[in-house]
């Protein structure tokens, strides 16, 4: 039975999607803890209601990223997870922290990487005038938003789209592909070969989920 720790900063909608999928699909895994860097993160209440241990490591209590990451790592490692999942965790992590969980930490980013890294991705997409936008699940590496890609989902950018309407359309697909990617990991279907991820006998070239039109 694989053990999963999920990190959140707010409502944790992707965390909820993962928890629900794990329960409904009876994954060979247990979500052992949900940890937040904000005490008022509403996702903590949901996790507790599902019988999942919750922990707060308040980032505002630390004067440096290094100090925060050191304590966060200690809290995560108390649960001895096989996988750490970033689900709306709004922190830039230090290289030693990321290296500690190399090959066993996932993130979801609201763009089709490598396009539109960082923040305000939907604004970036609208400003660039792209016709296709989306979301990416990837392994976390020290370079921000550049880890090996596991899965992607694409959505159309429609005439009259706002940041909010585009974000809502992308979020629907996040809730589809993130649980799928986490399940692949816990079932032992993901293999890293350099910067490429293979799913079973197939590479991520066939793992994307196109949702256009």
């Amino acid at each position: 039975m694989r053990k999963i720790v999920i990190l959140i900063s707010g409502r944790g909608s992707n965390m909820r999607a993962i928890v629900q999928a794990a329960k409904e699909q009876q994954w060979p895994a247990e979500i052992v803890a949900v940890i937040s860097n904000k005490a008022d993160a509403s996702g903590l209440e949901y996790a507790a209601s599902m019988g999942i241990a919750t922990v707060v490591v308040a980032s505002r209590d630390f004067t440096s990223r290094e100090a925060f990451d050191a304590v966060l790592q200690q809290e995560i490692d108390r649960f001895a997870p096989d996988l750490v999942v970033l689900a709306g965790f709004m922190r830039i992590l230090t290289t030693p922290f990321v290296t500690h969980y190399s090959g066993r930490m996932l993130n979801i980013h609201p763009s089709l990487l490598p396009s539109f890294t960082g923040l305000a991705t939907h604004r970036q997409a609208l400003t660039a005038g792209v016709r296709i936008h989306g979301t990416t699940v990837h392994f976390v590496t020290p370079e921000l938003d550049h880890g090996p890609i596991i899965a992607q989902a694409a959505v159309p950018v429609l005439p009259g789209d706002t940041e909010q309407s585009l974000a809502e359309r992308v979020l629907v697909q996040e809730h589809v592909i993130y649980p799928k990617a986490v399940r692949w990991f816990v079932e032992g279907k993901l293999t890293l070969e350099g910067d490429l991820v293979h799913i079973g006998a197939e590479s991520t070239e066939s793992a994307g989920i196109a949702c256009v039109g």
Side-chain angles (χ1 to χ4, degrees):
M1 182 74 69
R2 298 286 186 100
K3 293 191 288 186
I4 303 170
V5 168
I6 303 178
L7 308 186
I8 65 171
S9 291
R11 61 181 178 172
S13 69
N14 273 305
M15 175 269 293
R16 296 178 188 222
I18 292 167
V19 169
Q20 291 169 4
K23 181 178 180 181
E24 293 170 2
Q25 299 167 13
Q26 297 184 332
W27 293 358
E30 178 185 4
I31 298 165
V32 293
V34 171
I35 301 176
S36 177
N37 66 312
K38 295 183 178 181
D40 60 353
S42 60
L44 292 171
E45 295 181 9
Y46 172 81
S49 74
M50 298 297 289
I52 301 169
T54 60
V55 178
V56 174
V57 181
S59 51
R60 68 179 183 178
D61 293 342
F62 297 84
T63 58
S64 70
R65 287 197 293 135
E66 291 77 9
F68 170 78
D69 282 5
V71 173
L72 178 61
Q73 181 176 313
Q74 290 176 355
E75 290 298 317
I76 293 171
D77 287 352
R78 287 198 301 113
F79 297 95
D82 299 286
L83 178 66
V84 177
V85 175
L86 308 183
F89 188 64
M90 303 304 291
R91 295 282 302 181
I92 295 177
L93 299 166
T94 58
T95 294
F97 182 93
V98 171
T99 300
H100 180 70
Y101 298 107
S102 179
R104 55 191 181 107
M105 182 158 61
L106 306 185
N107 183 48
I108 191 162
H109 183 74
S111 80
L112 293 174
L113 294 175
S115 297
F116 311 134
T117 61
L119 300 175
T121 59
H122 310 304
R123 185 185 312 162
Q124 291 184 60
L126 291 171
T127 300
V130 298
R131 296 295 181 262
I132 301 296
H133 189 42
T135 183
T136 303
V137 181
H138 63 97
F139 280 100
V140 179
T141 61
E143 186 175 3
L144 182 66
D145 299 331
H146 279 83
I149 291 171
I150 299 168
Q152 294 181 302
V155 302
V157 180
L158 303 177
D161 256 337
T162 64
E163 288 182 57
Q164 181 176 349
S165 64
L166 187 54
E168 290 172 352
R169 197 175 310 117
V170 169
L171 188 62
V172 170
Q173 300 308 319
E174 291 184 28
H175 294 167
V176 173
I177 68 168
Y178 211 3
K180 186 183 295 287
V182 174
R183 181 174 182 176
W184 286 335
F185 183 97
V186 300
E187 290 180 342
K189 294 181 178 178
L190 299 183
T191 303
L192 266 171
E193 185 177 315
D195 292 330
L196 294 178
V197 179
H198 296 275
I199 304 167
E202 299 181 354
S203 74
T204 52
E205 291 178 352
S206 61
I209 303 172
C211 303
V212 297

Short mmCIF file of all heavy atoms in Angstrom, two decimals, residues 110 122 126 130-135 153-176 211-213:
data_model
loop_
_atom_site.label_atom_id
_atom_site.label_comp_id
_atom_site.label_asym_id
_atom_site.label_seq_id
_atom_site.Cartn_x
_atom_site.Cartn_y
_atom_site.Cartn_z
N PRO A 110 -1.23 25.12 -14.36
CA PRO A 110 -2.33 25.49 -15.25
C PRO A 110 -1.88 26.11 -16.57
O PRO A 110 -2.23 27.24 -16.92
CB PRO A 110 -3.13 26.49 -14.41
CG PRO A 110 -2.10 27.14 -13.54
CD PRO A 110 -1.10 26.06 -13.23
N HIS A 122 -3.27 32.09 -17.13
CA HIS A 122 -4.42 32.33 -18.00
C HIS A 122 -4.32 33.72 -18.63
O HIS A 122 -4.64 33.89 -19.81
CB HIS A 122 -5.71 32.16 -17.21
CG HIS A 122 -5.76 30.88 -16.43
ND1 HIS A 122 -5.59 29.64 -17.02
CD2 HIS A 122 -5.92 30.64 -15.10
CE1 HIS A 122 -5.66 28.69 -16.10
NE2 HIS A 122 -5.85 29.28 -14.93
N LEU A 126 -4.08 34.50 -22.68
CA LEU A 126 -4.95 35.46 -23.36
C LEU A 126 -4.14 36.56 -24.02
O LEU A 126 -4.43 36.98 -25.16
CB LEU A 126 -5.96 36.05 -22.38
CG LEU A 126 -7.02 35.08 -21.85
CD1 LEU A 126 -7.82 35.72 -20.73
CD2 LEU A 126 -7.95 34.63 -22.98
N VAL A 130 -3.13 32.73 -27.83
CA VAL A 130 -3.14 31.33 -28.22
C VAL A 130 -4.57 30.84 -28.38
O VAL A 130 -5.50 31.38 -27.79
CB VAL A 130 -2.38 30.45 -27.20
CG1 VAL A 130 -0.92 30.86 -27.10
CG2 VAL A 130 -3.05 30.52 -25.82
N ARG A 131 -4.74 29.80 -29.19
CA ARG A 131 -6.07 29.22 -29.41
C ARG A 131 -6.31 27.99 -28.53
O ARG A 131 -7.44 27.56 -28.36
CB ARG A 131 -6.24 28.84 -30.88
CG ARG A 131 -6.18 30.05 -31.82
CD ARG A 131 -7.36 30.98 -31.59
NE ARG A 131 -7.33 32.12 -32.50
CZ ARG A 131 -6.87 33.31 -32.14
NH1 ARG A 131 -6.39 33.49 -30.91
NH2 ARG A 131 -6.88 34.32 -33.00
N ILE A 132 -5.22 27.44 -28.02
CA ILE A 132 -5.29 26.25 -27.17
C ILE A 132 -4.53 26.53 -25.88
O ILE A 132 -3.41 27.03 -25.91
CB ILE A 132 -4.70 25.01 -27.87
CG1 ILE A 132 -5.44 24.71 -29.17
CG2 ILE A 132 -4.74 23.80 -26.93
CD1 ILE A 132 -6.88 24.32 -28.98
N HIS A 133 -5.14 26.21 -24.77
CA HIS A 133 -4.54 26.39 -23.45
C HIS A 133 -4.74 25.06 -22.71
O HIS A 133 -5.28 24.11 -23.27
CB HIS A 133 -5.22 27.55 -22.74
CG HIS A 133 -4.59 27.99 -21.46
ND1 HIS A 133 -3.23 28.10 -21.28
CD2 HIS A 133 -5.15 28.37 -20.26
CE1 HIS A 133 -2.97 28.54 -20.06
NE2 HIS A 133 -4.12 28.69 -19.42
N GLY A 134 -4.32 24.97 -21.46
CA GLY A 134 -4.56 23.71 -20.76
C GLY A 134 -3.81 23.58 -19.47
O GLY A 134 -3.50 24.58 -18.80
N THR A 135 -3.48 22.34 -19.12
CA THR A 135 -2.86 22.05 -17.83
C THR A 135 -1.91 20.87 -17.97
O THR A 135 -2.07 20.03 -18.87
CB THR A 135 -3.93 21.76 -16.76
OG1 THR A 135 -3.31 21.54 -15.50
CG2 THR A 135 -4.78 20.55 -17.12
N ALA A 153 -3.72 18.15 -20.54
CA ALA A 153 -5.07 18.27 -21.09
C ALA A 153 -5.20 19.64 -21.72
O ALA A 153 -4.74 20.64 -21.16
CB ALA A 153 -6.12 18.09 -19.99
N ALA A 154 -5.81 19.69 -22.89
CA ALA A 154 -5.95 20.93 -23.63
C ALA A 154 -7.41 21.38 -23.67
O ALA A 154 -8.32 20.56 -23.73
CB ALA A 154 -5.42 20.76 -25.05
N VAL A 155 -7.61 22.69 -23.63
CA VAL A 155 -8.94 23.27 -23.77
C VAL A 155 -8.86 24.39 -24.80
O VAL A 155 -7.81 25.02 -24.97
CB VAL A 155 -9.48 23.82 -22.43
CG1 VAL A 155 -9.54 22.75 -21.37
CG2 VAL A 155 -8.65 25.01 -21.95
N PRO A 156 -9.97 24.69 -25.48
CA PRO A 156 -9.95 25.80 -26.43
C PRO A 156 -10.00 27.13 -25.71
O PRO A 156 -10.60 27.24 -24.64
CB PRO A 156 -11.22 25.56 -27.24
CG PRO A 156 -12.15 24.88 -26.29
CD PRO A 156 -11.27 24.00 -25.44
N VAL A 157 -9.38 28.13 -26.29
CA VAL A 157 -9.54 29.51 -25.84
C VAL A 157 -10.64 30.10 -26.71
O VAL A 157 -10.48 30.22 -27.93
CB VAL A 157 -8.24 30.31 -25.97
CG1 VAL A 157 -8.46 31.75 -25.50
CG2 VAL A 157 -7.12 29.66 -25.17
N LEU A 158 -11.76 30.47 -26.11
CA LEU A 158 -12.94 30.88 -26.85
C LEU A 158 -13.01 32.40 -26.98
O LEU A 158 -12.49 33.14 -26.13
CB LEU A 158 -14.19 30.37 -26.14
CG LEU A 158 -14.27 28.86 -25.92
CD1 LEU A 158 -15.53 28.50 -25.15
CD2 LEU A 158 -14.22 28.11 -27.25
N PRO A 159 -13.65 32.89 -28.03
CA PRO A 159 -13.86 34.34 -28.16
C PRO A 159 -14.58 34.88 -26.93
O PRO A 159 -15.55 34.30 -26.45
CB PRO A 159 -14.74 34.46 -29.41
CG PRO A 159 -14.45 33.21 -30.20
CD PRO A 159 -14.21 32.14 -29.18
N GLY A 160 -14.08 35.97 -26.40
CA GLY A 160 -14.71 36.56 -25.22
C GLY A 160 -14.26 35.97 -23.91
O GLY A 160 -14.75 36.37 -22.84
N ASP A 161 -13.34 35.00 -23.93
CA ASP A 161 -12.86 34.41 -22.69
C ASP A 161 -12.22 35.47 -21.79
O ASP A 161 -11.52 36.38 -22.25
CB ASP A 161 -11.81 33.33 -22.98
CG ASP A 161 -12.36 31.92 -22.82
OD1 ASP A 161 -13.35 31.75 -22.08
OD2 ASP A 161 -11.79 31.00 -23.42
N THR A 162 -12.45 35.33 -20.50
CA THR A 162 -11.76 36.10 -19.48
C THR A 162 -10.82 35.16 -18.73
O THR A 162 -10.87 33.94 -18.92
CB THR A 162 -12.75 36.70 -18.48
OG1 THR A 162 -13.42 35.63 -17.79
CG2 THR A 162 -13.78 37.57 -19.18
N GLU A 163 -9.98 35.73 -17.90
CA GLU A 163 -9.11 34.88 -17.08
C GLU A 163 -9.93 33.89 -16.27
O GLU A 163 -9.58 32.71 -16.16
CB GLU A 163 -8.25 35.73 -16.14
CG GLU A 163 -7.15 36.50 -16.81
CD GLU A 163 -6.31 37.28 -15.81
OE1 GLU A 163 -5.76 36.64 -14.89
OE2 GLU A 163 -6.22 38.51 -15.94
N GLN A 164 -11.06 34.36 -15.72
CA GLN A 164 -11.88 33.50 -14.87
C GLN A 164 -12.53 32.38 -15.67
O GLN A 164 -12.51 31.22 -15.25
CB GLN A 164 -12.96 34.32 -14.16
CG GLN A 164 -13.84 33.47 -13.23
CD GLN A 164 -14.84 34.29 -12.45
OE1 GLN A 164 -14.77 35.52 -12.42
NE2 GLN A 164 -15.79 33.63 -11.82
N SER A 165 -13.12 32.72 -16.81
CA SER A 165 -13.80 31.67 -17.59
C SER A 165 -12.81 30.64 -18.11
O SER A 165 -13.10 29.44 -18.13
CB SER A 165 -14.58 32.30 -18.76
OG SER A 165 -13.70 32.93 -19.69
N LEU A 166 -11.62 31.10 -18.51
CA LEU A 166 -10.60 30.17 -18.99
C LEU A 166 -10.09 29.30 -17.84
O LEU A 166 -9.91 28.09 -18.00
CB LEU A 166 -9.46 30.95 -19.63
CG LEU A 166 -8.38 30.13 -20.35
CD1 LEU A 166 -8.97 29.19 -21.39
CD2 LEU A 166 -7.36 31.07 -20.99
N ALA A 167 -9.89 29.93 -16.69
CA ALA A 167 -9.42 29.18 -15.52
C ALA A 167 -10.42 28.10 -15.12
O ALA A 167 -10.04 26.98 -14.77
CB ALA A 167 -9.20 30.13 -14.35
N GLU A 168 -11.70 28.41 -15.18
CA GLU A 168 -12.72 27.43 -14.81
C GLU A 168 -12.72 26.24 -15.76
O GLU A 168 -12.87 25.09 -15.33
CB GLU A 168 -14.10 28.10 -14.80
CG GLU A 168 -14.28 29.10 -13.65
CD GLU A 168 -15.57 29.89 -13.76
OE1 GLU A 168 -16.25 29.77 -14.81
OE2 GLU A 168 -15.89 30.63 -12.82
N ARG A 169 -12.51 26.50 -17.06
CA ARG A 169 -12.50 25.42 -18.04
C ARG A 169 -11.26 24.54 -17.84
O ARG A 169 -11.33 23.32 -17.98
CB ARG A 169 -12.53 26.01 -19.45
CG ARG A 169 -12.93 25.00 -20.52
CD ARG A 169 -13.07 25.64 -21.90
NE ARG A 169 -13.91 26.81 -21.83
CZ ARG A 169 -13.50 28.05 -22.11
NH1 ARG A 169 -12.27 28.27 -22.49
NH2 ARG A 169 -14.33 29.06 -22.01
N VAL A 170 -10.14 25.17 -17.53
CA VAL A 170 -8.91 24.41 -17.29
C VAL A 170 -9.04 23.57 -16.01
O VAL A 170 -8.62 22.41 -15.97
CB VAL A 170 -7.70 25.36 -17.20
CG1 VAL A 170 -6.47 24.61 -16.69
CG2 VAL A 170 -7.41 25.98 -18.56
N LEU A 171 -9.66 24.15 -14.97
CA LEU A 171 -9.76 23.45 -13.70
C LEU A 171 -10.55 22.14 -13.83
O LEU A 171 -10.21 21.15 -13.17
CB LEU A 171 -10.42 24.35 -12.65
CG LEU A 171 -10.44 23.81 -11.22
CD1 LEU A 171 -9.02 23.62 -10.68
CD2 LEU A 171 -11.22 24.76 -10.31
N VAL A 172 -11.56 22.14 -14.67
CA VAL A 172 -12.31 20.91 -14.90
C VAL A 172 -11.38 19.79 -15.36
O VAL A 172 -11.47 18.65 -14.90
CB VAL A 172 -13.42 21.14 -15.95
CG1 VAL A 172 -14.05 19.81 -16.37
CG2 VAL A 172 -14.49 22.07 -15.40
N GLN A 173 -10.45 20.13 -16.26
CA GLN A 173 -9.52 19.13 -16.77
C GLN A 173 -8.44 18.76 -15.75
O GLN A 173 -7.96 17.63 -15.74
CB GLN A 173 -8.89 19.61 -18.07
CG GLN A 173 -9.90 19.87 -19.17
CD GLN A 173 -10.83 18.69 -19.40
OE1 GLN A 173 -10.40 17.54 -19.38
NE2 GLN A 173 -12.11 18.97 -19.63
N GLU A 174 -8.07 19.72 -14.90
CA GLU A 174 -7.13 19.40 -13.82
C GLU A 174 -7.69 18.28 -12.96
O GLU A 174 -6.96 17.35 -12.57
CB GLU A 174 -6.87 20.64 -12.95
CG GLU A 174 -6.08 21.74 -13.64
CD GLU A 174 -5.78 22.90 -12.71
OE1 GLU A 174 -5.70 22.68 -11.48
OE2 GLU A 174 -5.65 24.03 -13.21
N HIS A 175 -8.97 18.36 -12.67
CA HIS A 175 -9.60 17.36 -11.81
C HIS A 175 -9.71 15.99 -12.48
O HIS A 175 -9.95 14.99 -11.81
CB HIS A 175 -10.99 17.83 -11.38
CG HIS A 175 -10.96 19.04 -10.51
ND1 HIS A 175 -12.08 19.79 -10.21
CD2 HIS A 175 -9.92 19.65 -9.86
CE1 HIS A 175 -11.74 20.80 -9.43
NE2 HIS A 175 -10.44 20.73 -9.20
N VAL A 176 -9.51 15.95 -13.79
CA VAL A 176 -9.50 14.69 -14.52
C VAL A 176 -8.10 14.08 -14.55
O VAL A 176 -7.90 12.91 -14.21
CB VAL A 176 -10.02 14.88 -15.96
CG1 VAL A 176 -9.86 13.58 -16.77
CG2 VAL A 176 -11.48 15.32 -15.95
N CYS A 211 -8.86 17.98 -24.99
CA CYS A 211 -10.25 18.33 -24.73
C CYS A 211 -10.56 19.61 -25.48
O CYS A 211 -10.75 20.66 -24.87
CB CYS A 211 -10.49 18.50 -23.24
SG CYS A 211 -10.07 17.05 -22.26
N VAL A 212 -10.56 19.54 -26.79
CA VAL A 212 -10.74 20.74 -27.61
C VAL A 212 -12.08 20.68 -28.31
O VAL A 212 -12.66 19.62 -28.50
CB VAL A 212 -9.60 20.87 -28.65
CG1 VAL A 212 -8.28 21.03 -27.96
CG2 VAL A 212 -9.56 19.68 -29.58
N GLY A 213 -12.53 21.87 -28.70
CA GLY A 213 -13.78 21.94 -29.42
C GLY A 213 -14.98 22.11 -28.52
O GLY A 213 -14.88 22.14 -27.32
#
